[in-house]
Structure formats: structure tokens, C-alpha cells
Amino acid sequence: MPIDIPKDKWPGSIKKITLGATAAEGGTRAKSITLGGQTTLPYLHFEAPTPNSPAIAIEIKSRKPEDWSPLLAEVWGEAMNDPAKWAKKAEEAGADLIVLALMLADSPDDAVKAVKSVLSASGLPLIVWGPGQAEKDNELLVPVAEAAKGEKLVLGICEDKNYRTIVATAMANGHLIEARTPMDVNLAKQLNILITDMGLPADRILMDPTTGALGYGIEYGYSVMERLRLAALQGDSMTQLPMIVTPGFEAWKAKESKVGEGVPESWGDWKARAVHWETLTAVALVESGADVIVLRHPESVKRVKSAIEELVMA
Amino acid sequence: MALSGIQIYKMLPQTNCKECGFPTCLAFAMKLAAKQVELSACPYVTEESKKQLAESAAPPVRLITLKAGTEVKAGNEVVMFRHEKTFYNKPGLFLRLKASDADLAKKAAAADAYKVNYVGMDFTLDGFAIEADGDLSAAVKTVRGVSKRPLILISNDPAALDKALSQLAGETALIYAADPSKYETLADTAAKHKAVLTVRGDSLEALADLTPKIQAKGVEDMVLDLGGKTLGEWLTLSTQARRLALKSNFKPLGYPVIFFAGQNGPEKEPVYAAQAISKYAGFVVLDTFTPELAYALLVLRENIYTDPQKPIQVQPGIYEINAPKPESPVLVTTNFSITYFSVANEVEGSGLPAWLVVTDAEGMSVLTAWAAGKFDAERIAKAVKEFNLAEKVSKKRIVLPGHVAVLSGELEEELSGWEIRVGPREAVDLPAFMKQALN
Amino acid sequence: MQHTLTFTGENIHATITVPTNTLLADAAQHAGVDIGQPCGGQGRCGRCAVQVTLGNARRRSTLRLSPEDIAQGFALACQTVVEGDLAIYVGPQEKIERRLTTDRVVAEITVPPDYDYDQVQSIQRVHLDLAPPSLEDQTDDWSRLQTALRTQVKMEKVACSLHLLQTLSDTLRAGEWQVTAVVERNIQQPEMPMRLIEIYPGRVDEYSPLWGAAVDIGTTTITLWLVDLVSGQVKAQVAEYNGQIGRGEDVISRIIYSSKNGGREELRQRVLDTINGLLDTACKRVKVRPEDVMKCSIAGNSTMIHLLLGIPAGNIRLSPFITSVNHPPLLIGSEVGLAIHHEGTVDCLPGVASYVGADITAGVLSSGLEDSENVTLFIDVGTNGETVLGNRDWMVTCACSAGPAFEGAGVLNGMRATTGAIEEVWINSESLEPTYRVIGGGKPKGICGSGLISLLSEAFLTGVIDKAGNVNLSAKTKRVREGSHGGEYVVAWGTETETGEDIVLSRVDVDNLLRAKAAIYAGFTVLADTVGVPLESTSRGLVGGSVGKYINVEKAVQIGLLPDMEWSRFEFLGNTSVKGAYYALLDWRRRERIGDIARRMTYIELSADNSFYDAFTSALFLPHTDMTRFPSVAQALDKT
Ligand code: SF4
Ligand code: FES
């Protein structure tokens, strides 16, 4: 018997945003990446195709991080000492873009140098994170934004207590920003409103809803993202932004990934588990609507990439 | 369609007689809307109203229970998204074994014994799917020798199934699978043994044609295999089936679905299984058993199926912020996630190292928890002891949130030898407080 | 070109010649005519309206004027320019303000028209003419009085206290067998014994006042009305912060405090001190003694009533939230510890549950919600943020902890709505300079609830704070500065204030106000969702609370405290709880209806799931995260 499949027709859609600028667009990137544009819930091709595939970013740091899992140190090896080399390796590992996380020890000059070296080593679009302390973030990101004017970087991370400086410099230098809120639909919307109130167009914001990792609150992140996406499709303009998620950071913080000793036997093989942890966290977030997925381990990159391909394929 | 409290209220007598145990008819109606009481508690509902209310309450996805020494339930779901209400019945995780496998007993035993603890709960796999590439009955016997968990029998040979199922008297097994070309005899076998029958088809249309026919043969309990060769295809099919059941109240597809995660090889299996868990599968069959994968999937399943109406919590414990040293200050807060985040973020953002003790306040914020008696001196002291804080720090000093300044006296008594300080009321003021007052 | 303008009005006669395109406000100033410009001439407040009775003027903005206003010649002085000779009438400011703005002023208290002292008042004063005893008639004094009560005023079975017996013989003789008795009767059950409260020697004028008091024990503010039970009129109104406030701002802190050693007795004493103090003040005002008050009706949330009566309140807080008593029996003044007549009746009104007390049942009664055909929303803008939604068929209610901010407590420069309180603020969107109005007209001491509402709204509309409440430290004014609690805005410099200290709005205050308004707004959105009634479909919004003597609906909507409905659908009732207590004090039937309301209300527990929290964070923004709920504010933002 013929079946009448219920299809959703949504009044809203996700804004299209472009990261990175090629020479023609006023930057130096080999290519730029366009995200968003969805008019349905993720990958429901019987309603509409997925206009832009989600992108995978690999997170690198301006200096070798001391607190990363030995498993990560093992795969990235020497490259961790040099952001330019690291970026190149990340590109080889299949990244669509690079996240460069600046560190507390960086001076503004260090930061600018690191960003420039990554920009020249790799042609991928770049996201730059401050070290995560309001004052320091402002101190480092402003010179970085100025030095990379026109590259359409994504500057992060804006939070509700500290958004003015970063937004202002992004506006002045033609960059985008990453707006992070702690796992709450309303807070995510509110920050977007505050930022657009300053005059930054909404299509220069990536929202980062904070997700938690598998076993560590991913269900909240998952539902917050589903709700944000539903709200966006229902026409709420302040949620119609592509979402960036950081399963790499989240999963590698978890004991399951981070350590191999002193854990229950039932947890199984460390390395395989660590990759599962990052991959499953990432895939769950892809299913709930993530547009940029920031990962750390090359094996996870491979698996998540293949999952995305299967989902995007009509 | 679910009715609202007011809609139900209009069907009640509106006399506020209290016999149902609620003070007003409206209170009762609201509980009814939330499915927390039975309609029968009100003795005065008219037949007409009863009928209307019953219709609105029937589950759109049939509840299927597989039974042996343990039970697995699937179905009875009422929402597309977990935040709308909750997902109720966690999909059963089954391991596929081959009847011909010489190591059958060993493999089954290992998987059966697997148990992992996650935040105080023990998780296991739910059962086995036995593929009849050899003697099915013998294999069933072997598996039953080492496991009491429910079984899925993969065969379309009625005779073999009949024989195997005869050994499983008193159990409810799942047969895999009837398809349009051969369903009658399998339906008879299922009916005879009160087994659940999987129905397989090339399309949703084919499935929808078949289930009423099988139902006509006396089999009410079915499970659907929707097909689907890629993640994308399966996502589409399972979304469509769930929508038809929930939104269109389309009975022919109102059954739980089964998904084989290993169909495209072990590389893809973890991701396939993960999608099935979050996207509506009732049963997930794995080809591979490794502890690390089982653990990850069991945790994912638990996460997706937790009740989202419960407040968002973080795990109680001691959180290290900015690599604290033994002499770094100790802050205390509750495990409500937003509370935790605002405290952790402020401190993290300030660059000051600290130990953050997160107590189990059942996911309430400081004030609410304190109001409800879930954040008091006793509980804080308990947390301090349980997490062995004394071993980590050299300076025995605890900073209480300013909102619960009143607890400081009691806490001093509970934690003798510790200095109790009252911090600011708001997290924003923490960095300044830590800089000025804690040196 | 030059034009001649003539200003008239009460004590105003001025003429001046000005060139074309002169602003009316400037012209008036030159002519020496004082026109107040609260918003600093931005055309936002509408307070500078004048009436152009003759001639041509061009109105740049009519934002504040209705078509009828314009038809009548009204124009905003700050927004209107001269284009010809004009005759201008400058009306009394007060009148224009009321007409032009959206302020909702508490209506005067009127005695219910059906009040009939003889029929519905439980306290009766009767005059008795006793036959003097003699050697022939040796009936004892008490029996003699009883006989008179029975035969002369048909009062059977009257009980009497020992104290009265002790003074009886003197009183009878002092009055030469003419006495006036005050008796409490049970109208509903006339067969029940009556109670003699007092006898006075001699005859008292039938129409002279007989005193009663209606009291609302708010968590933050206690209000007392002194009432003449004979005429039903309110003769004095007084209010003061609840003396318990130093022991915790909300009910939970009080409960916890009361569970400590000696805490219960201390809190009881504190609330008694406040009430007795108020009683004293009120009585002094009408020159009577507190002992002359014969009856006291008390409304208050369940915790306040428990604490007043010294009943353990601990279980109110803990699941399953059970009170000791929802409906206390009638008590007498001396046992409660009130300074009214020691035999006077103390009637604590009935509540519904732990968190919906007699303050709400009384409030619902006085608001008339229980009687209305259409769905009505009743909001108490108070510490416990109680909300009731319903009509005569059904009522649901909830309570959310909003805190005392709107009563001026817990805010750095907050105060009650008394003399010296800033009750309205306007901020110029260009200069960011404020203008304000002070109750009583003198120097400001602080800001009351209505002032805080308008201040928050103005700060938000002019960008002094952002929608999340962050003070914009880069704003170009020296009034914005870094204070000890983060950013702050100076409303009044020390040189202008009573205390000599700056009056500021600090970041912490903004947070408190935001939380309070978010809790209240979230409460009624959840309530509406639970019963499945859209908020917009409510026909009336009744607003109660001790925020001040008026509430500016527009400002309250702008900060997202009240839902964005037509302003005319709101009614500001002020303290509805004390009003309910007043009705109960007067009229036994109304007293009964409060009990009936308590039985009919359905209490919704907000902590049962996440929906309240979600609604709360959503409302924790100016005016709200979901702007589609506030279309009129979106419009106003576009204009400023
Ligand atoms: S028993 Fe029925 S009629 Fe009586 S109160 Fe309950 S719902 Fe209403
Ligand atoms: S509108 Fe003219 S002064 Fe405010």
C-alpha cells in the first residue's frame, strides 16, 4: 500500500556562513569552507538534501600541551612542538580546517607568530582560540585578529561575560567568532542576541553549545543541540547559526580516554576505547546537528569523516 | 494525540469530590495528562469520556518484551526527541553468534559474563542472536548452557525454528525474519511458540503490507527490520517509521525496529550501533564483542535514555581547576550543571588554581538544594570525607557559597580541624574573593 | 518669521514671541513657564504634554499620544515646533500624567457596598440596660448580664473569661447598670456559644467606631489597616519591613532559622514586634489605644502564619511539604501575643498548602478572580511570586521564589515605597542623564519597587546595561563606573541625596531584579503551559504586590515582568492580601469564601520537572530571550 510519509516543512533555515578567505576573497587560504544552509533536521534527505557537509577540524596548540594523553602525544609526536608542522600533519590526517589553541604562556607576539606560521604552513581555514581566561584572551586575540586581517578566521571563545572585545576586533578585521554557552538553549540564544546587538552580522557567528562527552553529560549537549536546531527551523533567527562542537576536547578529558592504568578491566583496551570515546561522542553530535567537529585523534577523524560521508550521501 | 490537563478536566465530573485522592478534578486531570495516574481512580467518569481518554492513551509503538532468565523491552515510545518527554525502553544490545562456530560456548560465556559499572549501575549485554548456519537447536542448547539471556533466532526454516523454540518453553524469543515471500509458515511457528516475529521488507510499503497479514495469522508481537545499507539510509527509514507511528498513528508500522550494526564490517560497527541507539532502534545486533566497545555503547545508551526532565547534573566529586596544589583553596558547590559551570568557568577564567568539591545535591542549585535540605553541613562533610579531600590538600580550609553562610557553624562542627570560610554569593565575585580574602 | 505664543493655565499667563521652528519646550522656558520633562525631552515619557488650543504646531513625534489626544490638541512640548501663532494651555501636571501614561494606580479602598454591620460582622457592640439588683431581686451580676443579653439583644449562651468576671461587678456599678458589651458571635453557626470580649460602663454612641485590624504578614513587608468595623471604613494604613528580614530574606531561610535553637521564639517575637509597632503607629494616628482593637484578621503565607503562632515550620520546606495547619482556629489576642484587646479575636485566614498560603487565597478573593467568567491571571509581585490562573470554574496556582527585590529589599539602595523613595526614573538616551521623581518630593533616600522597575527598563532601553544585565562600562557617561560589585550606574549623586551618598544601581542589583522578574514571568508561563491555556488568551491581568502605589505597566512589560498584552488589560491592585484580610475582617460570608477558594485551587509544583528552570533562564534576559513574546518592546527598541 502506498504510504503518506509525514514530512516537515519548516519556515526557517540555518544561515550560510563562510570560514576562511582565498586570495580572491581577500585572504590567503587555499579554499574557504561554507557551512549551514540546512532547511531540515540533520540528514533527512527525503525532505531536503544537506547543502553543506559538516567540517572536521583538528585541534593543535601553540606549544606542546603537557596535559594531553600519551596516546595523542604518540600519534602527533615531534610535530607537537611546532604549530606549523602540527598543522601540516593535521591537514594530512584529513582535517578540513585547523583549530589553533593559544596557551597562557604565549605573549601577544608569540600568538601572532604562531598564527602566522600556521597560516603559511597550511592553506586550510583557521579557528583561533584564546587560552580561556578573559583578560588573556583579549590580550592575545586582538593582535592576532589584526595581524590576520581579511583571513576570515574564527576567533574564540566568546562567553556572555566576555564578548565585547573579541566581537569588536572580529568586526574591525573581518573575522568570525565562536560563541560558547554552557549547555543551555536559552543561554545560547542570549549570547547570540548580545553579539548581534553589537552589530556583528549573525552570519559571522558559530555557536558552541558545549556538549559534554560520552558518559559525561553528552545527553544534555545532544538535546540542547536538537532543540536549538528545531528552534532555528521553526524560524527563531537567533538560533539559526551553524554549531561548532569539541568532542576531541570533551572526550580526551574523560578518564576513559586519558588514562590506561588503574581502570576497571571491563573497560577493555585503552587505545581502542579512547578512539571509540571520541568517535561516538562526535557521531552523536553530528546526528544532533553539529556543523564543525573539533577532534584530536587522527583515527577518530577518519571514522567520523566516513560517517559524515554516509550521512550526507543522498 | 495526547490531551492537555484542561481538555481532560472538561471530561471529568468537576465536583472536586476528592475520591481519586487528589484535591480537585483539575489536579487529577493534570496527573492523568502526565500519565502518572490511572483513569480508574475516579469512580465517576462517564463511559463516553472513558472511551475518548483510552484512545488518546494507546501507545503508538507496540511494547515488545523478550523473555528468558532476563527480560528486554522495546517500544512504547511516544516522542521523536528525547527532550520532549523521554525515551523509555533502552534498545537491547544483542551479540550475533554463529551456530557453526566451534567456540560458540566460549564466546557466549564471555559475553554473558561481561559486566561494567557506570556511575553505580551495572550494565551487561542483553542477549544473543544465533545464526542458523549449522544446527540451530544444538546451538541454542549450547548457548543456554552458559547464558539465560533472551535469544534472537536467525533462520527462516520453520522446522529448525520449531525444534529450537521447543527447547525454549516459557521464554519469549525473537524470530528473524519473515519476508513477503515466506511469512505464513514462520507466522504459524511464531504463533505456536508465542515468539515475536521480525518482519523484513524492501521498503516501508512492503512492511506495511505484510504486518497486517501476519497479524491476521494470530501474531500480534512483531519487530521490523527496515533495511537500509548506509547510515543515511537507515536514519531516513527509522525516522520515517517512527514518525508514521507517532504522528500519523499508522498501526502497520507501530512496532519496534531491529538493526544489524555489523553489516558493513567491524570498522563501521561502532558508529552504526551508536546511530541506531540514538535514532530509534529497539534492538541492536552486534557482530563484534569487545569490552571497550560494549562499554562505550552501553554508556551511550544510558545517556540517551536518561530522563531529560531530571535536572542537569554533573558527577559529584573533586574537580581540579588550573592544576591546583595542596595549598590551593577548596571551594564547595552543588552538582547542578549550571551552578557547577558558572563556578568552574569563573575560577578557570581567572587562572587561579583551586579544588572544587561538587556535592550530590540531586542536581539542584545552591539555594534550591539548601531549601530542600539537599545541601547542608552533613552532606558537605560527607562529600569531603568520601572524596578523601584531606589527602589532597595541605591547607584545611573550605570556602562555602555565600548563599549558605548559615551553614558555616554546623559545618565547623561536622568537620573538626577544618577552617570554614564564607565566600561570595555570586560566582562572578569568586576570583576577587580568592585574590583578596584567601591569602 | 516670528510668532506669538500665549501660555495659559492655573496661575500661568505668559506671552512670548519666537521664530518659526522653535521648540515649544524652549519657548515655554523663555516665557518662564515650567513644563517638567522627566525623560529629558526625548518624547518617550509623554509627561510634557500641553494642549494647543489655537494655531499651528508641528508634532515631530506623537509616540505618547492617542488620536483622541491629538484631536483635542495635545502635543508633547519637547517634540513640537512652532509654525504659527499659538494659544497653549498648560494643564496641571498630575492630571496629564495619569491620562497619558500607563501607570496603574491602586484604587482607593472603598467599603464593599453590601457591607451591613448588623448582618455580617461577627463582632457586635450592644447596649444593655440592666435592672439594678435589690433585696427582692438577688440575681448575681453575671446572670443578670446574661439575662439582659438574652432578652434585650437575643444573645443566648454567651461565654465569658475569668478576667471579665473579675471586673464585672465594678463595671456594672460604675455604669449604673447601663453597660456596653462587645460580643463575638458565630454567624454561620448561631447555635455555638458567643463570647463576651469586653464590657464598658455606660452607653457608647452607636455610630462611634469599633476597631478591627486587617494585617498582611508579607515575607518582606508587613501591612496593617486599622478599620472601623461599624462603618467598614479604613481609618489608617501602615506598613513596615518584617522584623524577621534580618534572619533571612525568604521563607526558606526563615524556616531554617526557626528550626535552630531558640530561633522559632525569636522569629515569633520579631514578627510580633513589627505588628505591634504598626498597631501602635496606626492607633496613634486615629488617637485610640491598641487595646481598643477587638478583632484582627491576618493573611500571610503559610510560613509566616506558622512563625507568628510559634508553630514548628520545618516540614513546610521538606518533601512532601506538609504544614502543621492550613486553617488555624479562632484565637485571642493575649495568647497570640498581639497588643490588641487581650480577649480580641485573632483570625488567621486559611491557606491551600505549604507554598500557597492565606495571602493568596485572600488575594484571589479581593481580586475577584474566583468570580470571573473569563480566564484571568493574578500575579503577586512579591517575594514568593505567587501566581493564579483561572476563572470561576477552575484555578491553578504556583509559587516561585522571586526574592524581595521588588519590595526594595536585597537591593543596595532599595527601600520601601515611602517618603524619599525614587518611584520613577527616566534616562536620556543621548546624555544618559537621569531624571527621577521622589515620593513626597524631597531629596531621595533610595529607590522603591516601582522606581526599580522603571530604572531597570530605562537602563536597558538606553543601553546602560545590555540585555543580559551587564553594565556597559564603555558607555560615555561618568555615571557608569566600576563599583565594588562590578559595573554600576549612578542615579543620584551624593550632593542630591538625603544621606549624601550616591544612589546607584549595581550589577548585583540588576541580577537580583532580573532573577525576581524572571521567576515571576516563568511562573505564569509554566502555569499557562501546564493547563494548556495560551497566555494571550487571558482576558485580564491582575497585579498585586507591595512595589509602590502604582506600577508602570509599560515599564513592567519592557523588562519582561508582565506579559506583553494590551496595557489596558492590566489592573494594579496593590497589596491584595491585606485587602482580602480586610474583606474577611468585615464580612463573615467573604471569610467563608476564602476557605472555599482554598479548596478549589490546584497547586502546581514547579520543581517537578525542568520546565520551570527552562522558562526561568529564558526569562533571565531583557525583556526575554524569545522576543516574539514581546512585540511591543521590540518596537520600542527600534525607536530608541
Ligand atoms: S474522584 Fe473524580 S470527580 Fe472526584 S475529585 Fe477526583 S476526578 Fe473529580
Ligand atoms: S516626552 Fe517630552 S519630556 Fe518626555
Side-chain angles (χ1 to χ4, degrees), chain A residues 28-163:
Chain A
T28 62
R29 305 297 79 211
K31 64 171 176 97
S32 55
I33 292 181
T34 298
L35 300 166
Q38 298 93 322
T39 55
T40 65
L41 289 168
Y43 317 108
L44 297 184
H45 299 299
F46 63 101
E47 292 178 345
T50 305
N52 292 295
S53 172
I56 291 182
I58 292 182
E59 178 186 351
I60 66 170
K61 297 229 169 205
S62 58
R63 300 158 186 262
K64 183 172 179 180
E66 294 309 324
D67 56 346
W68 278 29
S69 166
L71 291 179
L72 291 168
E74 191 182 299
V75 290
W76 295 116
E78 269 305 294
M80 290 175 97
N81 294 315
D82 177 355
K85 280 195 194 133
W86 197 350
K88 253 202 143 67
K89 238 182 142 175
E91 187 170 353
E92 283 156 21
D96 301 311
L97 56 143
I98 306 285
V99 168
L100 170 62
L102 302 172
M103 312 264 285
L104 268 180
D106 293 336
S107 68
D109 286 346
D110 296 340
V112 170
K113 217 176 103 210
V115 168
K116 285 201 157 159
S117 73
V118 169
L119 283 173
S120 53
S122 160
L124 299 180
L126 181 63
I127 297 175
V128 182
W129 289 344
Q133 290 180 13
E135 277 166 35
K136 190 80 187 178
D137 284 1
N138 296 344
E139 186 189 326
L140 299 189
L141 289 174
V142 173
V144 163
E146 286 163 0
K149 185 166 180 148
E151 291 283 10
K152 288 194 117 186
L153 304 181
V154 179
L155 303 174
I157 292 168
C158 285
E159 294 180 292
D160 65 342
K161 294 266 154 41
N162 184 48
Y163 64 93

Side-chain angles (χ1 to χ4, degrees), chain C residues 515-534:
Chain C
R515 266 198 293 268
K517 77 99 186 170
I520 291 168
Y521 188 85
F524 53 73
T525 49
V526 171
L527 214 50
D529 285 353
T530 326
V531 288
V533 171

Side-chain angles (χ1 to χ4, degrees), chain B residues 167-230:
Chain B
Q167 299 176 52
L168 301 175
E171 298 187 13
T172 311
L174 172 62
I175 298 173
Y176 185 92
D179 58 30
S181 66
K182 185 174 182 183
Y183 68 90
E184 279 145 328
T185 48
L186 282 180
D188 290 339
T189 311
K192 177 177 165 199
H193 294 281
K194 295 205 167 51
V196 182
L197 184 57
T198 310
V199 184
R200 194 166 56 169
D202 290 337
S203 63
L204 295 182
E205 282 82 1
L207 280 171
D209 280 337
L210 195 48
T211 54
K213 292 186 195 154
I214 292 176
Q215 199 181 24
K217 300 217 55 146
V219 178
E220 297 282 347
D221 287 339
M222 285 175 260
V223 165
L224 309 176
D225 179 353
L226 304 173
K229 304 257 174 305
T230 65

Side-chain angles (χ1 to χ4, degrees), chain B residues 6 9 24 308 370-371 426, chain C residues 317 393 396 515 531 602 604 610:
Chain B
I6 287 283
Y9 169 74
T24 59
W370 169 69
E426 306 298 332
Chain C
R317 165 173 86 108
D393 297 326
V396 288
R515 266 198 293 268
V531 288
T602 304
I604 310 284
N610 277 346

Side-chain angles (χ1 to χ4, degrees), chain C residues 209-522:
Chain C
L210 176 63
W211 296 103
V215 178
D216 165 45
I217 309 182
T219 311
T220 305
T221 309
I222 299 185
T223 308
L224 182 146
W225 291 1
L226 196 58
V227 179
D228 169 17
L229 299 178
V230 177
S231 66
Q233 282 165 355
V234 178
K235 297 292 189 184
Q237 301 181 37
V238 286
E240 186 50 79
Y241 279 141
N242 186 333
Q244 297 174 333
I245 222 172
R247 295 293 174 266
E249 283 175 0
D250 49 40
V251 290
I252 301 296
S253 333
R254 307 272 173 87
I255 294 173
I256 290 172
Y257 192 84
S258 76
S259 316
K260 287 194 191 155
N261 225 345
R264 176 151 45 106
E265 190 44 41
E266 184 192 338
L267 292 181
R268 183 171 111 94
Q269 207 47 57
R270 280 174 176 264
V271 67
L272 283 172
D273 288 349
T274 310
I275 300 176
N276 289 337
L278 286 170
L279 201 59
D280 202 51
T281 318
C283 287
K284 280 207 177 99
R285 226 176 261 177
V286 295
K287 302 202 172 58
V288 295
R289 298 166 309 159
E291 306 88 276
D292 294 333
V293 176
M294 297 296 160
K295 180 184 177 186
C296 184
S297 290
I298 302 181
N301 62 58
S302 305
T303 305
M304 290 303 118
I305 298 294
H306 277 59
L307 294 178
L308 170 73
L309 300 180
I311 300 171
N315 290 325
I316 291 181
R317 165 173 86 108
L318 301 174
S319 178
F321 317 110
I322 303 302
T323 54
S324 270
V325 55
N326 281 339
H327 185 172
L330 290 181
L331 302 166
I332 61 170
S334 55
E335 58 183 341
V336 176
L338 289 177
I340 62 170
H341 190 284
H342 55 90
E343 290 295 321
T345 309
V346 176
D347 183 11
C348 296
L349 305 178
V352 183
S354 277
Y355 291 116
V356 183
D359 50 344
I360 293 311
T361 48
V364 166
L365 174 85
S366 69
S367 72
L369 181 149
E370 45 118 26
D371 227 13
S372 86
E373 197 172 324
N374 300 318
V375 178
T376 301
L377 180 67
F378 169 76
I379 307 158
D380 184 60
V381 182
T383 317
N384 307 308
E386 293 98 338
T387 300
V388 183
L389 183 70
N391 56 19
R392 65 163 76 118
D393 297 326
W394 55 269
M395 277 184 271
V396 288
T397 176
C398 69
C400 50
S401 190
F406 286 125
E407 288 170 66
V411 173
L412 201 58
N413 291 117
M415 65 179 285
R416 281 193 316 108
T418 53
T419 310
I422 294 179
E423 59 171 350
E424 179 173 44
V425 181
W426 292 93
I427 299 177
N428 185 304
S429 54
E430 296 295 313
S431 65
L432 302 184
E433 284 296 300
T435 43
Y436 50 79
R437 188 171 69 200
V438 178
I439 300 180
K443 285 186 168 184
K445 285 189 241 172
I447 317 171
C448 71
S450 51
L452 288 166
I453 291 172
S454 80
L455 175 55
L456 191 65
S457 154
E458 283 292 289
F460 154 57
L461 287 176
T462 54
V464 168
I465 56 176
D466 69 12
K467 287 175 180 162
N470 298 307
V471 177
N472 180 4
L473 286 168
S474 48
K476 290 196 178 39
T477 166
K478 57 184 189 315
R479 288 184 180 267
V480 167
R481 64 187 184 196
E482 186 78 52
S484 48
H485 301 277
E488 62 187 27
Y489 174 79
V490 182
V491 183
W493 298 110
T495 49
E496 311 158 25
T497 67
E498 170 98 15
T499 58
E501 309 263 336
D502 295 351
I503 292 177
V504 302
L505 176 73
S506 77
R507 167 77 230 215
V508 175
D509 297 340
V510 173
D511 281 348
N512 276 335
L513 290 165
L514 276 182
R515 266 198 293 268
K517 77 99 186 170
I520 291 168
Y521 188 85

